[in-house]
């Protein structure tokens, strides 16, 4: 995980990853801890993981981004390296108001990584650049 998250969040995600590697499932304890640490974004993020809405997009050079199909049907781009999402909720509740650590999309990215539930998509450098530029154009 990324060092920009608080230690308690990092540790919880590591424990979830270890549990899924060992047993292929989590426990109710993890669910309650997720809700405690991440608040209201925990349940919707788990929903996105259950629906297999997270895709890791990789280019031949190793550049990686994640795309999450939100519950509204819109595709958001997330960057786990800097824990950022292009959705409006991230900009408002995380960046502006500091009410939450993460939005449901970036939390779904972290959970899908931990649970091994991330879809994979290999694209060319040009395709990844288009994905990243399309997000920039949508925002401005």
């Amino acid at each position: 995980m990324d060092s920009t998250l608080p230690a308690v969040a990092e540790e919880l995600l590591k424990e979830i990853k270890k549990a899924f590697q060992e047993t292929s499932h989590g426990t109710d304890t993890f669910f309650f801890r997720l809700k405690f640490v991440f608040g209201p974004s925990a349940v919707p993020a788990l929903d996105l993981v259950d629906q297999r809405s997270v895709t890791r997009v990789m280019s031949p050079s190793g550049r990686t981004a994640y795309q999450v199909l939100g519950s509204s049907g819109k595709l958001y781009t997330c960057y786990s390296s800097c824990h950022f999402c292009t959705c409006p909720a991230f900009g408002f509740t995380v960046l502006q108001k500091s009410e939450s650590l993460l939005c449901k999309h970036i939390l779904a990215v972290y959970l899908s990584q931990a649970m091994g539930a991330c879809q994979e998509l290999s694209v060319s450098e040009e395709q990844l650049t288009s994905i990243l530029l399309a997000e920039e154009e949508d925002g401005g």
Side-chain angles (χ1 to χ4, degrees):
M1 299 299 114
D2 187 30
S3 62
T4 60
L5 288 176
V8 68
E10 293 245 0
E11 191 59 35
L12 176 57
L13 292 169
K14 285 179 189 174
E15 288 177 24
I16 291 171
K17 183 175 186 170
K18 183 179 178 189
F20 272 83
Q21 287 173 337
E22 293 173 357
T23 65
S24 298
H25 63 7
T27 65
D28 287 343
T29 305
F30 288 130
F31 174 74
F32 292 116
R33 291 173 65 199
L34 276 170
K35 284 190 68 159
F36 180 78
V37 172
F38 295 105
S41 60
V43 173
L46 285 168
D47 251 358
L48 291 171
V49 174
D50 283 346
Q51 295 169 18
R52 306 228 4 122
S53 297
V54 179
T55 303
R56 181 178 176 208
V57 183
M58 303 165 294
S59 70
S61 69
R63 290 190 312 160
T64 302
Y66 291 84
Q67 290 191 312
V68 180
L69 183 60
S71 52
S72 66
K74 183 162 173 41
L75 200 59
Y76 297 104
T77 301
C78 299
Y79 308 92
S80 63
S81 61
C82 60
H83 108 132
F84 179 81
C85 180
T86 58
C87 77
F90 186 86
F92 187 68
T93 61
V94 177
L95 297 179
Q96 285 183 337
K97 296 185 87 179
S98 298
E99 290 178 348
S100 182
L101 289 174
L102 307 166
C103 67
K104 66 182 178 182
H105 308 108
I106 194 74
L107 180 55
V109 166
Y110 291 138
L111 290 172
S112 68
Q113 288 173 330
M115 296 174 180
C118 199
Q119 298 187 73
E120 304 277 329
L121 176 64
S122 294
V123 297
S124 69
E125 297 296 333
E126 293 79 19
Q127 288 171 310
L128 184 58
T129 299
S130 293
I131 290 169
L132 300 177
L133 288 177
E135 283 296 334
E136 190 175 280
E137 290 169 4
D138 288 346

